[in-house]
Amino acid sequence: MKIKHAVISIAAGFAFDFVGAFWKIMHWPGANILLMIALLLKVSGLVALIIKLVSNKRIRDFMNQ
């Protein structure tokens, strides 16, 4: 997974989070599902981003200084 895909996943998670919160305020059905999808998107994007950053040699060298 490229960094671009991880960032898009995190951004989509925030978009679903916003819509899910709005639906929750309005008491519309399906809000809980949207909030769970948002959580999964944000966590998966963050994990992919962390793995990508830690596996990068230049960042690893910078962190070991």
Side-chain angles (χ1 to χ4, degrees):
M1 179 180 270
K2 294 184 178 182
I3 291 179
K4 175 176 68 171
H5 296 126
V7 170
I8 289 172
S9 175
I10 293 170
F14 279 112
F16 275 97
D17 203 18
F18 178 74
V19 173
F22 177 72
W23 282 20
K24 193 78 162 173
I25 291 169
M26 297 299 289
H27 301 290
W28 291 348
N32 290 333
I33 295 170
L34 280 175
L35 291 172
M36 291 300 283
I37 291 170
L39 178 70
L40 290 174
L41 281 172
K42 287 190 284 188
V43 167
S44 65
L46 188 63
V47 167
L49 189 64
I50 289 172
I51 289 172
K52 196 68 168 174
L53 288 176
V54 169
S55 65
N56 191 344
K57 184 178 178 349
R58 287 187 294 174
I59 293 176
R60 234 182 317 143
D61 291 340
F62 175 73
M63 291 169 53
N64 287 333
Q65 288 181 358

